[in-house]
Amino acid sequence: MTTTAVSQHQTKWWSGGKSPFNIEYGKLMMWYFLMSDSFTFGAFLISYGTIRFSQNYWPSPSFVFNTFPGAGHTNLPLAFVSLMTFILIMSSVTMVLAVHEGHHGNKKGVVKWLAWTIVGGFAFLSCQAWEWHHLITGAHNVLVDGKIEQWGQSMSHNPWGPLVPHEELQRLGLSVPEGEHVYTPGPVAFGGYFFGITGFHGFHVFSGVLINIIMLVMAQNGVFERRGHYLMIEKAGLYWHFVDLVWVFVFLCFYLV
Amino acid sequence: MEHPPATEITIHHEPSSSTKRIWKVFWILLVITLVELGLGLSLYALDLPEGLRMHLIKGVIIILSLAKAYYIVSYFMHLGDEIRNMVMTIVVPLMLFIWFILAFLGDGNSYKNLRNKYDPYYKERGTQEQLLKKEDRQEKKGGKD
């Protein structure tokens, strides 16, 4: 309804005397910042894609990301990252509800929904901390120079290479406990890109949470009420939704395909 | 509520009175994500070899992600409510991504092909890995670690 009202309005936008973009300065600049930020993320993700396309082998995400906190060694591909995605979508909804309350100048509503958004942000960051910790401290059998070593996923080590056939292990005179497998080292670039890109995204989530906390305190103290509008909440909201938007593509590039 | 004292705004948006649209978009995003997950898991469960069917599934997942991006930007970030002049200054520069993706992924692919062609060690490793890959996938399905 609002859309049609504005877009159908016959105004000569370029005839001077008014802003042809019909948007408040700070909000416009937030949009341009987010556009430039999307190029930064895009450059990272495309660089990752380029390296991935240049390799004959790349680890399958369903194999790398198949654990869930408290579930031990149960094979649960993509389950944990689905939870993380759901948390982020939910926090995006609570943020847009905060913006909605702001449109109506409802201070209590803004504070309530902002608080939930912050909770969602912390929940997401905690999930990421667990995931990183789990990957780094994991111990996987890797065949290095004819010996079996225990590797975790790090910037310099990738334990997710192709499987070493049983006959090959026998030939080398090596044995592993029943049910365990030995892999060759995988592409080293995997760790750098995974930690680099999810880390950069996590940094955005973290700064988004800080911004939201500042907004919460300001809203609670009645700063926006005195100002007569909640435009700052809209700008913080744009940033927060952008974080969710980037996750859509991180989720796509690292976990789904 | 008084109107924002921003002089840049000629026509004010009337704030919508209900949150119906927000929840509708939430359900759309949730359903798309679940479908994506289903497809992602089917890639794993079907264990398809590199080929048309696998690329088709991945293509659908990518298109669904773009649909999600559209809903987030258009409704949650309210870009759809802004006027066309402003929307175009955001959307048109992003078109560069089409070229970035085609050019750089093609570059990576060509790098792989060139190395396979001219680096005997790389090719040997590659083909060996390709052979292992099938067996590898079968092992992974049953085993842990």
Side-chain angles (χ1 to χ4, degrees), chain A residues 4 15 24 49 56 59 64 70 99 120 130 145 147 153-154 164 184 190 209-210 212-214 218 227 230 234 241:
Chain A
T4 48
S15 63
E24 190 258 340
N56 282 316
V64 179
V99 171
W130 183 87
D145 294 334
K147 287 190 213 58
Q153 170 65 60
S154 72
V164 181
T184 39
F190 182 89
V209 168
L210 287 188
N212 285 344
I213 290 174
I214 295 169
M218 285 172 83
R227 229 178 252 181
Y230 281 80
E234 289 186 40
H241 294 309

Side-chain angles (χ1 to χ4, degrees), chain A residues 1-3 6 9 11 13-14 18-25 27-28 31-32 34-35 38-39 42 46 49-50 52-57 62-63 73 75 77-78 82 85-86 89-90 92-93 96-97 99-100 102-105 139-140 161-163 165 179 181 183 228-229 231 238 241-242 244-245 248-249 251-252 256-257, chain B residues 1-2 4-6 8-11 13-19 21-23 26 29-30 33 36-37 40-41 43-44 58 61-62 65-66 68-69 72-73 76-83 85-86 89-90 93-94 96-97 100-101 104-105 108-109 111-112 115-116 122 126 129-130 132-133 135-136 139-141 143-145:
Chain A
M1 312 148 279
T2 56
T3 326
V6 174
H9 198 279
T11 309
W13 289 107
W14 300 101
K18 55 183 156 317
S19 160
F21 290 163
N22 198 47
I23 185 171
E24 190 258 340
Y25 175 78
K27 241 173 107 177
L28 185 67
W31 270 109
Y32 290 145
L34 294 180
M35 185 181 69
S38 67
F39 278 107
I46 291 169
T50 309
R52 189 171 160 171
F53 268 60
S54 76
Q55 303 287 316
N56 282 316
Y57 177 87
S62 307
F63 182 54
H73 283 296
N75 183 28
L78 304 183
S82 311
T85 305
F86 179 73
I89 290 180
M90 236 16 251
S92 218
V93 172
V96 77
L97 287 169
V99 171
H100 177 85
H103 282 152
H104 296 276
H140 308 274
L163 184 83
H181 300 292
Y183 299 92
H229 59 81
L231 267 171
L238 284 179
H241 294 309
F242 177 74
D244 185 26
L245 181 67
V248 169
F249 292 101
F251 181 54
L252 172 74
L256 285 176
V257 298
Chain B
M1 176 196 145
E2 19 171 333
E8 303 93 315
I9 298 174
T10 313
I11 302 163
H13 302 278
E14 283 308 314
S16 64
S17 52
S18 84
T19 54
R21 192 174 80 164
I22 296 170
W23 286 107
F26 163 72
L29 289 175
L30 191 65
T33 306
E36 277 185 340
L37 267 174
L41 286 173
L43 277 177
Y44 172 66
K58 288 188 175 179
I61 296 177
I62 291 168
S65 287
L66 290 174
K68 262 164 76 174
I72 292 173
V73 173
F76 281 1
M77 297 168 91
H78 298 287
L79 190 64
D81 297 342
E82 304 295 350
I83 66 168
N85 283 339
M86 188 262 160
T89 62
I90 305 290
L94 291 179
L96 278 170
F97 272 123
F100 288 160
I101 291 167
F104 282 94
L105 294 190
N109 200 39
Y111 193 28
K112 175 177 73 185
R115 277 206 290 202
N116 283 340
Y122 194 81
E129 282 171 357
Q130 291 298 327
L132 290 172
K133 227 177 153 183
E135 194 175 351
D136 178 32
E139 289 285 346
K140 276 172 191 170
K141 284 188 110 172
K144 57 172 186 176
D145 270 62

